[in-house]
């Protein structure tokens, strides 16, 4: 069981129980996180699943691969902790992950 | 292919009835347990959102079947589709990033992706507004217009032309070229259409070459100049540059005109929704998203399976061709509450009018911005808009959806 918390730009917190093997984007969409519209469905082709990973998650997560890093360059307001949630696979060691939704995606 | 006895369904996408309202047919297809085999084009039709999304996202499903054909089979197929003997069309229209896969596709897409990001697209807002205001100034004295021909049809050629770097006075020509190049994809295309399509491709090619020469000595802040720099850096070939320019025009031209027409028609068919949007202009984003869902202007694309697979609960072999019916998936009750209701406040609204997967529409932010500016402006300036013809005729066929014309009467505020 992996617990994930999404924090929307207005401060609203959405806590979700993620299944191993799902993508973080799928967890967000299923939990009604409206800032993650994930328009391309998870193909690393749109950038609308952009999020900021905070805290321990940053250390635990593997670094973005080439396609993800390229797409992050194109999103609005990219930061050092920017990730595309569709490229993050849920694993048990991500338990407690905290994710902020960018202001531009409300 | 064996057909089961449940295949009594009358699926005739070229019929008048289908053009008038394809949604009952889509619903009947969607309610079947398994995909429907459409013999005329040797394609399995996918209408459920889950099946459409799965195939669109599956990296083993490709737009071309080159991987599963020999060179000779490929030539034969080209001949069968009458896609041969048109050298410029073959070079610049039958090849482009939409028709390629893997590394070639990703390289070409990434080279222009920045141009289509929200921040870059937003820079066009002022130009779109100015052009719409100018068009309206010319139309305002008329109480009745054809919204498609007199208004919508002038817009995308102008806006895409500007992005590319085509001078304003040449933009009307872009519309002619674009319509002639895609004539070849029309239902019932004949040799004359083929000749016109090839000629338009050649003319557009020669025009772009001239413009590129000008940009070589004096680069502008436009897409052609930036692609030229990429070509000079060895990142893309000249043919790829030309093919990308043509694709951008072809993909964004007719589709934008069609959704402007169908979007206006939807607002007029659902007056309560029109009033809701007029009274609260901040609903424009969800309203535009709903216009795309409700009448997907490009409702049909295909993929080839490169491996044996199971789709919609049925087993298929490599080489099978699937139809992704985006317009049908957008009315799937498994995804959308009251899918046949047009609701300008619908949210979330995860539709597939722009496709999905690696070919996800590059121009979606531009298409949305056009719609946003136009419907916001119309709502501010015109209170009383009426349909003159209660049942406007829609284009026929599976691949496009939009009214041929839309006669409306309007009064300025
Ligand atoms: C107005 C409504 C539009 C709709 C409904 C639409 C829809 C689509 C769809 C469904 C696809 C994916 C095709 C597939 O699944 O095989 C696509 C791809 C594409 N669209 Fe659009 N489009 C629109 C406007 C535009 C505009 C305005 C442009 C550019 C100015 C554009 C450029 C492209 C390009 C370049 C691709 C190919 C992307 C790739 O292969 O990676 N589109 N579009
Ligand atoms: S969903 Fe499109 S990039 Fe992640």
């Amino acid at each position: 069981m992996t617990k994930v918390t999404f924090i929307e730009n207005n401060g609203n917190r959405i806590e979700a129980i993620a299944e191993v093997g799902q993508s973080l984007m799928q967890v967000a969409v299923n939990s009604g996180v409206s800032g993650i519209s994930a328009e391309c469905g998870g193909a690393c082709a749109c950038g609308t699943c952009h999020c900021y990973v905070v805290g321990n998650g940053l250390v635990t997560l593997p670094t973005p691969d080439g396609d993800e890093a390229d797409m992050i360059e194109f999103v609005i307001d990219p930061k050092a902790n920017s990730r595309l949630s569709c490229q993050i696979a849920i694993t048990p060691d991500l338990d407690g992950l905290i994710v902020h939704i960018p202001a531009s995606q409300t | 292919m064996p057909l089961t006895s449940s295949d009594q369904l009358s699926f005739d996408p070229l019929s008048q009835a289908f053009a008038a309202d394809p949604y009952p047919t889509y619903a009947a297809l969607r309610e079947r347990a398994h995909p429907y085999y459409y013999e005329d084009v040797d394609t399995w039709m996918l209408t459920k959102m889950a099946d459409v999304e799965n195939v669109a996202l599956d990296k083993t499903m490709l737009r071309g079947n080159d991987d599963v054909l020999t060179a000779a089979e490929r030539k034969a197929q080209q001949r069968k589709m009458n896609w041969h003997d048109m050298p410029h069309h073959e070079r610049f229209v039958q090849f482009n990033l939409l028709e390629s896969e893997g590394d070639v596709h990703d390289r070409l897409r990434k080279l222009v992706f920045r141009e289509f990001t929200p921040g870059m697209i937003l820079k066009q807002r002022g130009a779109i507004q100015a052009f719409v205001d100018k068009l309206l100034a010319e139309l305002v004295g008329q109480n009745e217009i054809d919204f498609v021909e007199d208004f919508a049809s002038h817009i995308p050629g102008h806006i895409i032309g500007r992005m590319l770097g085509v001078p304003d006075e040449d933009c009307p020509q872009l519309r002619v070229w674009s319509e002639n190049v895609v004539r070849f994809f029309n239902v019932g295309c004949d040799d004359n259409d083929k000749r016109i399509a090839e000629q338009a491709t050649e003319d557009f090619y020669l025009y772009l070459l001239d413009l590129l020469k000008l940009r070589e000595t004096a680069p502008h802040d436009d897409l052609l100049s930036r692609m030229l720099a990429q070509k000079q850096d060895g990142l893309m070939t000249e043919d790829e540059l030309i093919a990308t320019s043509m694709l951008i025009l072809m993909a964004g031209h007719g589709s934008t005109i069609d959704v402007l027409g169908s979007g206006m028609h939807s607002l007029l068919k659902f007056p309560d929704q029109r009033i809701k949007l007029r009274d609260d202009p901040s609903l424009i984003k969800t309203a535009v998203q709903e216009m795309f869902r409700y009448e997907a202007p490009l409702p049909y694309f295909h993929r080839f399976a490169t491996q044996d697979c199971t789709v919609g609960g049925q087993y298929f072999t490599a080489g099978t061709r699937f139809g992704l019916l985006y317009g049908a998936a957008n009315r799937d009750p498994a995804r959308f509450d009251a899918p046949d209701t047009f609701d300008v406040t619908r949210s979330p609204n995860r539709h597939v009018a722009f496709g999905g997967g690696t070919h996800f529409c590059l121009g979606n932010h531009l298409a949305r911005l056009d719609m946003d500016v136009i419907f916001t402006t119309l709502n501010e300036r015109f209170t009383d808009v009426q349909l003159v013809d209660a049942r406007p005729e829609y284009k026929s066929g599976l691949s496009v959806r939009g009214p041929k014309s839309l006669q409306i009467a309007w009064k300025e505020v």
Side-chain angles (χ1 to χ4, degrees):
Chain A
M1 193 177 90
T2 309
K3 203 180 99 185
V4 180
T5 305
F6 298 95
I7 303 180
E8 294 182 310
N9 191 51
N10 60 9
N12 190 25
R13 292 169 74 94
I14 298 178
E15 298 192 345
I17 302 300
E19 313 246 343
V20 171
Q22 277 184 307
S23 74
L24 182 60
M25 175 277 275
Q26 285 165 331
V27 180
V29 168
N30 293 344
S31 316
V33 178
S34 60
I36 301 291
S37 60
E39 307 236 352
C40 76
C44 208
C46 71
T48 60
C49 64
H50 174 214
C51 63
Y52 304 117
V53 171
V54 297
N56 278 341
L58 263 188
V59 195
T60 322
L61 280 171
T63 50
D65 71 9
D67 283 343
E68 185 184 347
D70 285 350
M71 183 58 74
I72 287 172
E73 274 188 43
F74 295 134
V75 302
I76 296 175
D77 207 6
K79 296 184 187 167
N81 59 341
S82 283
R83 293 302 300 256
L84 295 184
S85 55
C86 72
Q87 301 302 303
I88 296 178
I90 298 294
T91 54
D93 52 357
L94 287 180
D95 189 33
L97 188 70
I98 298 175
V99 178
H100 285 244
I101 308 303
S104 59
Q105 290 163 224
T106 42
Chain B
M1 292 282 169
L3 298 187
T4 58
S5 56
S6 62
D7 275 301
Q8 301 305 329
L9 189 108
S10 79
F11 180 62
D12 182 5
L14 301 182
S15 68
Q16 281 302 316
F18 187 84
D21 185 4
Y23 298 104
T25 308
Y26 286 157
L29 289 174
R30 222 173 26 232
E31 281 154 18
R32 294 162 43 93
H34 296 294
Y36 172 79
Y37 179 64
Y38 181 36
E39 209 171 351
D40 294 27
V41 291
D42 184 19
T43 301
W44 290 84
M45 297 295 172
L46 306 179
T47 49
K48 294 184 171 69
M49 180 60 95
D51 295 344
V52 167
E53 277 188 331
N54 282 343
V55 170
L57 280 166
D58 186 336
K59 288 197 166 165
T60 70
M61 299 280 184
L62 306 185
R63 284 189 47 95
N65 59 354
D66 292 4
D67 287 16
V68 287
L69 294 184
T70 64
E73 282 169 337
R74 210 173 308 144
K75 273 268 166 252
Q77 171 175 289
Q78 209 193 19
R79 220 159 240 295
K80 188 172 148 205
M81 290 168 68
N82 200 12
W83 275 48
H84 60 295
D85 296 339
M86 38 192 332
H88 293 91
H89 201 272
E90 283 175 43
R91 197 163 142 207
F92 303 121
V93 181
Q94 297 177 28
F95 166 82
N96 55 41
L97 75 106
L98 176 59
E99 300 306 340
S100 55
E101 300 288 350
D103 291 347
V104 175
H105 168 264
D106 295 354
R107 173 175 56 84
L108 293 174
R109 183 174 166 106
K110 280 179 190 177
L111 284 174
V112 291
F113 194 90
R114 184 179 299 282
E115 304 288 332
F116 291 95
T117 51
M120 286 295 278
I121 290 300
L122 218 49
K123 289 190 192 169
Q124 303 294 331
R125 186 166 200 127
I128 299 171
Q129 185 72 59
F131 188 68
V132 168
D133 289 345
K134 177 171 158 278
L135 267 180
L136 287 178
E138 289 163 15
L139 292 173
V140 109
Q142 304 175 30
N143 300 330
E144 210 182 294
I145 63 159
D146 176 353
F147 185 76
V148 174
E149 178 53 38
D150 299 336
F151 181 70
S153 70
H154 299 281
I155 295 167
H158 192 88
I159 304 305
I160 299 168
R162 260 191 73 96
M163 271 189 80
L164 277 171
V166 171
D168 283 357
E169 61 275 20
D170 295 341
C171 287
Q173 180 62 44
L174 289 186
R175 176 186 174 198
V176 180
W177 280 327
S178 152
E179 285 175 357
N180 285 346
V181 170
V182 300
R183 257 173 105 117
F184 188 67
F185 303 111
N186 286 355
V187 185
C189 146
D190 59 21
D191 281 350
N192 191 39
D193 290 320
K194 181 170 169 173
R195 194 185 48 73
I196 289 172
E198 168 64 8
Q199 188 62 53
T201 313
E202 182 177 1
D203 293 346
F204 189 18
Y205 165 54
L206 296 174
Y207 175 82
L208 285 173
L209 281 188
D210 283 344
L211 200 53
L212 285 168
K213 276 209 194 80
L214 293 177
R215 292 296 183 272
E216 223 156 88
T217 42
H220 284 200
D221 176 12
D222 59 34
L223 181 51
L224 276 180
S225 301
R226 284 187 284 270
M227 286 197 291
L228 187 62
Q230 291 172 330
K231 190 205 111 186
Q232 286 160 346
D233 291 343
L235 300 171
M236 64 160 83
T237 66
E238 182 170 281
D239 277 19
E240 288 170 344
L241 189 165
I242 303 282
T244 301
S245 308
M246 288 196 187
L247 171 65
I248 286 168
L249 181 65
M250 284 184 317
H253 195 268
S255 52
T256 303
I257 299 171
D258 286 342
V259 75
L260 281 167
S262 64
M264 178 55 118
H265 188 201
S266 298
L267 286 176
L268 295 175
K269 274 192 298 190
F270 295 87
D272 58 320
Q273 297 300 308
R274 200 172 96 74
I275 289 164
K276 229 184 216 174
L277 176 60
R278 195 194 60 201
D279 293 349
D280 182 0
S282 75
L283 292 175
I284 189 68
K285 291 229 153 35
T286 48
V288 165
Q289 179 75 349
E290 179 71 343
M291 290 177 194
F292 280 107
R293 181 192 73 87
Y294 199 70
E295 294 283 11
L298 296 174
Y300 173 82
F301 284 87
H302 70 267
R303 295 290 186 273
F304 287 99
T306 57
Q307 295 174 8
D308 297 352
C309 54
T310 302
V311 173
Q314 196 169 333
Y315 180 79
F316 297 96
T317 53
T320 300
R321 187 175 143 120
F322 293 102
L324 307 182
L325 279 80
Y326 294 140
N330 281 355
R331 301 283 189 107
D332 189 343
R335 167 67 57 89
F336 303 102
D337 293 335
D340 294 320
T341 303
F342 178 77
D343 175 0
V344 294
T345 65
R346 193 183 285 278
S347 173
N349 190 351
R350 300 192 58 245
H351 65 63
V352 285
F354 294 112
T358 54
H359 291 287
F360 178 73
C361 179
L362 205 53
N364 75 92
H365 297 295
L366 180 60
R368 286 181 223 257
L369 183 63
D370 284 340
M371 299 282 281
D372 183 319
V373 170
I374 289 164
F375 284 102
T376 300
T377 306
L378 293 176
N379 270 337
E380 280 167 7
R381 292 190 47 185
F382 298 88
T383 42
D384 189 16
V385 185
Q386 309 276 347
L387 270 179
V388 172
D389 174 3
R391 288 179 166 275
E393 199 184 329
Y394 272 64
K395 296 175 179 174
S396 68
L398 204 52
S399 310
V400 291
R401 173 101 188 125
K404 286 185 180 169
S405 68
L406 190 71
Q407 290 293 331
I408 58 167
W410 61 4
K411 274 201 204 86
E412 207 175 1
V413 179

